[in-house]
Each structure stands twice: as C-alpha cells, then as structure tokens.
Amino acid sequence: MSQEVRNLEPKALWNKFADLNAVPRPSKKEERVIAFMMDFGKKLGLETLKDEVGNVIIKKPATVGMENRKTIVMQSHLDMVHQKNNDTVFDFDTQGIEMYVDGDWVRAKGTTLGADNGLGVATIMAILESTDIPHPAIEALFTIDEETGMTGAMGLKGGLLEGQILLNLDTEEDDEIDIGCAGGVDVTAVAEYDEEDAPADSVGYRITVKGLNGGHSGMQIHEGLGNANKIMNRLLYSGYEDFGLQISKIKGGSLRNAIPRESVAEVIIAEMYDEAFEFDMQEIINEIKAEFKTTEPNLQIVIEKLDQVPAKVLPSMAQFYLVRALYTAHNGVYRMSADFDNLVETSNNIAKVTVGGGNLKIECLTRSSVESSKFDLANALRSAFELMGCEVTFSGSYPGWTPNPKSEILDVLTAIYEKQNGSKAHVVACHAGLECGILGQNYPGMDMISFGPTIKGAHSPDERASIASAQKYWKFVLEILANIPVK
C-alpha cells in the first residue's frame, strides 16, 4: 500500500511521509517517533538535540550563496490524532498507518492518515536530507503533543533557537496563508453518584448514535456538523421526560479536538412503556435525521433491546440535572469575529461524555482568538456544570496568535503565491490552535507565518491529503526557501 504512495511526485516529500507513517506516533506516546527523528538527524551528520520535554531540533547550515539570509525555523508537530472507525481493527500504539491512493487523494484504511501534521514533518525532513535545494540556515523544530495540549510548544524554552523567521507548516488549505489563530482551554466537569438498583419489571435498551462526519473541532466547528453527545442528550431528555427513562451508562466521543462522531448509552424503562417508547423515539429520530439530512446524510440512530437489563442506574435527580446541564451547555460557534470576515472568534466542542460506575465526566474544548471571550464561554460552561453538582476545572490553557499584517515574511509569501498561481492567496487567521502563539511567548521577536497543503477531514478516519495540492505546495516551499530576506 505505502509503495504506491512512495511513487507519487514529489518523491522526496511522499517518501519521507511514508517513512514517518511507518512509526506509531499517537499524541502522548511519541517516544518512538522522537527516537526516529533523533536518528534521522544524526545519520545526516547534522547537529541534533532533544530538549527536556521531548521536542527535537535539527540544525542545518545554509547552502552555498545563501549564508547572508536570515536563519529560519521550520516547524511541525510529530504527534497525530488517533481515530479509527468502530469496525476497524487497528492498534495505534504498535502499527504504522496503512495508506492508499484514491484518485487525487492519499487516504488511510479506516483510520486517521496523520497528514496533519505529518506532511509538514516530511517536508522538513526532505529539505534537511536534500543536497540540491538552495536554502538559508535552518533550525528544524519538531514539537510533541500538539494535538492534546501543546505541551511541546509550551515547554520549549527561550534561547534554544536563533532563527528570526518561523515557517509553521500546519495549515490545511493550500490557498491560505495564516497569520493568526485561536487559543484554547480544556473544561472538565466531574461528579460522583451513588448508583441505584434498577427497578423490577424494567426493560433494557442500547441507544447508538453513529455515522456522523466528525472532524476538526476548530476548523470545522462552523459547518453545522452533528455532535453525537448533543444528539444523544436529546434522545435521553425526551425518554426521561415522557417515559421515565433511566440511564445506566453513556460513552460518547473520544478526543477533545475532534467533533464526536459516536455515542452509545445503555438505559432502562418500565416494561409497561415498552411499545410506546420505541414508537415515540422513532418519531424523534426521524425529526433529528431530517434536521441533519444535508450536513449528516449518513447519520444512524439505532435503538435495540438488551438481552440483559442493566443492574445499576443513575439516581433520578442526578439524571434530571445531567440531561438539563448538557442541554444548556453551549456547543458550536459562540461568536463570530468582528475584525475578520467569516472567522469564528469563540466556540466550544462538547467532546466527551462518560457516565457509569458511580462516576460521570464531561470534557470540552473551548477556543477563542480573544482571551477574555475564551474564559467568558468557559465560565458559562462552568456555571452549567456546577449547577448540576459537578467539580469543574480549567486546564491546558494556551494563548492565541495575534495577527501581524505588516510581517516581512508575509510579503514574501504573498508575492510568490501570486506569481506561481496567477491569483492572490487568502491571508487569514484560523480558528484552530496553531503553536505559533505559544512559541511567540518565548521568542517574541520572531516573524511567524503558517501554510500547508490541502488536507480534508483532519481528526477523523476520513482524513485525506490532496496529491495535486502537495505538488503545488512543494513548489511553493522551494521558492520561499530561495527568497528568504537577507540579514
């Protein structure tokens, strides 16, 4: 499978991507890819070091004739989001990604592809290995754990890098040049409850929400995609109000930065409501499917009887507050930017809901390009969850990246893009969390820019990278390297 990817043009880029994707690298488990990258740098005879949090830095001198140009930092993150379809058998801890070519797209078999940000990493590797590409002095920065906390960028100390310009290769539309991004904060609500015995004469059901698109909780939050946790809560709310439904377990969503695609709940109802429950719930299912027929054509909501009735359930009042808090908690776009057209300023993703065994947990990722607005929404969520009796914590807060429209490197990129493509690039700020804002805290004078090839469906098993776009992007990268400003 990976051989057909290796045969794609530009070979230097796709070969390095195939090498990288052979190494397991889920977030928080980057030991193997760190070792892989350290070995790569050392085999090239380049200065290679690992900082105290695990970021890898490889330094390469300027090519002949480029010594008078400013030193650049080329940066991408090593980790990838590990998502798979429920029916895909795959172990992200031990297996490399299984890739294949589908027309203009490179895809993975039932899992995320890792093009986010593996194509950026592969680009830098190809430049480091090259002997015929003109470039200034390069400091290659490979950060860890971008997807689940940005701890690599946060832990990078000042003074390790000397570069004056940073090229972040983590943008996912090839006609965009990013000059700003949102910050984020994790909002977590937890509570304990005393399980109750299920009443006699009960019937058990499993409710499954699946088939949703999922996707990136920053870049795609404005698309009106279905959130499995919110859809499930509608079903549970109606079942509770109309039939006294009682919840035994819920497991919804997987990662904070992925819009949840699936949720499964085990519930009970009184046996006397059995037939009416199924009929009424089917009406609600039909309504929800009609609402999402355009954005979520593959949505499935399945209600099936359990062979064995769950033994334990939530207490009635705990359930009363849970379904209301989840209904109240904001999901999706909270505010659009007043300064940039079509830019989401503030949003929230209700990413995970877990209930069972006397514990419940709700996990959100709140994003904003305005720090005060980020915490305004986070406090609204805190209030909803505290009113239901949860302990709520904020963690992993990271800042946004304030745009600099007068950036010198921006002028270079926009001129090259227009010359190569006959049209202007879209200069934007994005709602995703890029590492530039964090890196800028310890390197405040660094001129930063972000760009990359077209990647669709990031953070979901539908992730795919455009082959034609990769060729366009590679040509763009080479011209940028040849036109870095003089010192």
Side-chain angles (χ1 to χ4, degrees), residues 210-228:
K210 61 182 180 179
L212 292 167
N213 285 308
H216 194 298
S217 69
M219 299 298 288
Q220 295 174 269
I221 200 71
H222 63 288
E223 294 179 9
L225 299 171
N227 179 304

Side-chain angles (χ1 to χ4, degrees), residues 32 110 130 177 189 239 255 269 278 297 329 356 368 392 406 424-425 452 471 484:
R32 279 159 292 201
S130 70
I177 297 173
L255 298 171
I269 60 164
E278 291 197 37
S368 184
V392 181
K406 297 181 180 179
K424 293 183 183 295
Q471 293 165 355
I484 296 296

Side-chain angles (χ1 to χ4, degrees), residues 147 151 155 165 200-201 246 356 370 421 472:
E147 299 289 6
T151 55
I165 295 169
D201 301 321
Q246 290 180 273
V370 177
N421 300 287
K472 171 185 173 183

Side-chain angles (χ1 to χ4, degrees), residues 330-365:
H330 184 85
N331 181 79
V333 176
Y334 185 66
R335 187 169 189 261
M336 297 298 290
S337 173
D339 301 314
F340 291 88
D341 291 341
N342 302 315
L343 173 67
V344 178
E345 179 196 280
T346 309
S347 74
N348 183 61
N349 181 42
I350 301 179
K352 293 183 71 174
V353 176
T354 311
V355 178
N359 294 282
L360 66 85
K361 188 174 187 180
I362 303 165
E363 299 172 66
C364 302
L365 174 52

Side-chain angles (χ1 to χ4, degrees), residues 65-322:
M66 298 290 286
E67 297 89 350
N68 67 334
R69 307 299 180 96
K70 291 182 177 179
T71 298
I72 62 168
V73 178
M74 298 186 75
Q75 185 262 323
S76 291
H77 62 83
L78 293 173
D79 61 315
M80 64 172 282
V81 170
H82 51 292
Q83 288 269 284
K84 68 180 184 69
N85 291 321
N86 272 356
D87 58 357
T88 297
V89 178
F90 191 86
D91 184 354
F92 283 99
D93 290 346
T94 60
Q95 290 180 251
I97 300 300
E98 298 176 16
M99 298 181 288
Y100 67 97
V101 176
D102 177 20
D104 182 50
W105 301 100
V106 174
R107 298 176 178 265
K109 293 179 64 177
T111 71
T112 37
L113 174 63
D116 171 19
N117 188 209
L119 280 178
V121 173
T123 301
I124 303 170
M125 291 175 68
I127 301 298
L128 292 174
E129 191 177 69
S130 70
T131 57
D132 58 353
I133 295 173
H135 60 74
I138 293 172
E139 295 175 318
L141 172 61
F142 302 102
T143 49
I144 61 157
D145 193 34
E146 188 269 355
E147 299 289 6
T148 58
M150 299 203 181
T151 55
M154 288 180 177
L156 183 74
K157 291 186 175 178
L160 288 175
L161 302 173
E162 298 175 357
Q164 298 157 281
I165 295 169
L166 183 135
L167 305 179
N168 170 282
L169 307 179
D170 197 14
T171 290
E172 294 169 7
E173 294 288 345
D174 67 16
D175 61 351
E176 289 185 356
I177 297 173
D178 268 294
I179 60 171
C181 73
V185 62
D186 295 341
V187 179
T188 305
V190 297
E192 296 180 355
Y193 60 90
D194 294 324
E195 290 186 297
E196 293 184 352
D197 293 333
D201 301 321
S202 296
V203 179
Y205 280 92
R206 178 183 293 111
I207 304 174
T208 304
V209 176
K210 61 182 180 179
L212 292 167
N213 285 308
H216 194 298
S217 69
M219 299 298 288
Q220 295 174 269
I221 200 71
H222 63 288
E223 294 179 9
L225 299 171
N227 179 304
N229 291 323
K230 291 293 270 189
I231 292 172
M232 176 62 79
N233 194 65
R234 287 175 65 173
L235 300 165
L236 299 177
Y237 178 92
S238 296
Y240 176 70
E241 291 295 299
D242 297 339
F243 300 101
L245 173 152
Q246 290 180 273
I247 298 167
S248 176
K249 297 177 183 177
I250 306 174
K251 185 178 181 182
S254 57
L255 298 171
R256 286 188 199 261
N257 55 4
I259 299 169
R261 298 179 299 118
E262 299 174 351
S263 178
V264 179
E266 293 186 4
V267 303
I268 64 167
I269 60 164
E271 194 171 12
M272 63 180 178
Y273 294 134
D274 194 7
E275 190 172 324
F277 170 75
E278 291 197 37
F279 180 82
D280 278 25
M281 292 302 281
Q282 192 56 54
E283 285 194 334
I284 296 167
I285 290 169
N286 292 340
E287 290 172 356
I288 293 171
K289 284 188 170 183
E291 288 176 28
F292 286 99
K293 66 180 186 296
T294 301
T295 53
E296 298 287 1
N298 300 314
L299 168 61
Q300 297 178 57
I301 303 174
V302 181
I303 298 181
E304 52 193 342
K305 273 187 181 175
L306 293 170
D307 295 334
Q308 189 169 346
V309 178
K312 300 289 184 179
V313 294
L314 265 74
S316 180
M317 286 310 295
Q319 179 169 306
F320 176 90
Y321 288 121
L322 172 65

